[in-house]
Amino acid sequence: MVTLIDKRGGLSRRDLLKNASAAGIGAALVISGNAVICPQHAWGMETKALKPETMATLIQMARDIYPHDHVADRFYAIAVKGYDDPEKAEMIEAGVADLDAKSGAGGYRGLGWEEERVAVLRQIETTPFFQTIRGGLVTGLYNQKEVWPLFGYEGESYSQGGYVARGFDDIDWL
């Protein structure tokens, strides 16, 4: 993921598309004003308590903690949106600043390889910041009904008579 940052506080649609396509990548996150935007996949999110750069880092961090190549960034963005809260903002901003400091000059998102980012995450895995993000991602990511089909989960079965009559033994990977 590459993040393009506009220091002027706004981008025209033309600049947005031109800059994103100039990056030569499949999915770029563009930061403009107080928003994180992914023009290639037509989604965006506005931030209120956190800086948009912080939210982009949380999205990358979420992808590195629970990596699924077949899950789009927008699902990770939905999973971390709950941290855009004034009560959590100070801890999140400080945690991301520490993560960026441990990552070197380009910060966490500037690290080019997943292995490099995971190595930095291992340095902070015992901190309250990391544990808060990791713990919230379990439900934030996997409780999204739109994600379930990507993993082959059909949802609860109780209301439909249970799994016994609905193919409980149809898995082919065991």
Side-chain angles (χ1 to χ4, degrees):
M1 171 186 342
V2 171
T3 304
L4 303 171
I5 301 174
D6 177 24
K7 300 294 184 192
R8 299 173 308 205
L11 286 174
S12 69
R13 278 186 295 185
R14 182 178 303 254
D15 288 339
L16 176 78
L17 295 173
K18 181 179 75 174
N19 290 340
S21 63
I25 53 173
L29 292 184
V30 178
I31 296 172
S32 180
N34 64 337
V36 178
I37 304 163
C38 182
Q40 290 84 1
H41 300 289
W43 67 266
M45 70 184 321
E46 184 179 17
T47 60
K48 299 199 183 317
L50 296 175
K51 294 183 272 187
E53 295 86 0
T54 299
M55 188 60 72
T57 299
L58 288 178
I59 294 167
Q60 182 63 59
M61 185 179 170
R63 181 167 283 289
D64 291 335
I65 293 173
Y66 293 107
H68 300 290
D69 292 338
H70 63 285
V71 176
D73 280 346
R74 70 183 176 99
F75 296 115
Y76 288 99
I78 292 167
V80 298
K81 181 63 177 165
Y83 296 112
D84 189 21
D85 177 353
E87 293 180 17
K88 300 172 185 170
E90 185 177 333
M91 185 213 20
I92 300 297
E93 291 287 356
V96 167
D98 181 51
L99 186 64
D100 283 341
K102 288 182 180 346
S103 300
Y108 183 74
R109 289 187 328 272
L111 295 174
W113 299 98
E114 181 179 354
E115 294 83 23
E116 293 175 304
R117 292 189 306 270
V118 170
V120 175
L121 289 176
R122 289 193 190 282
Q123 293 176 28
I124 66 162
E125 68 184 341
T126 60
T127 65
F129 164 70
F130 180 87
Q131 292 300 320
T132 299
I133 300 299
R134 185 197 56 77
L137 283 172
V138 172
T139 55
L141 181 61
Y142 299 114
N143 276 0
Q144 297 178 51
K145 288 185 179 182
E146 297 83 14
V147 175
W148 294 352
L150 300 175
F151 296 107
Y153 178 59
E154 299 172 1
E156 64 85 25
S157 167
Y158 178 77
S159 65
Q160 300 172 35
Y163 289 107
V164 173
R166 293 188 55 238
F168 78 96
D169 60 350
D170 65 354
I171 59 173
D172 59 359
W173 51 269
L174 187 60

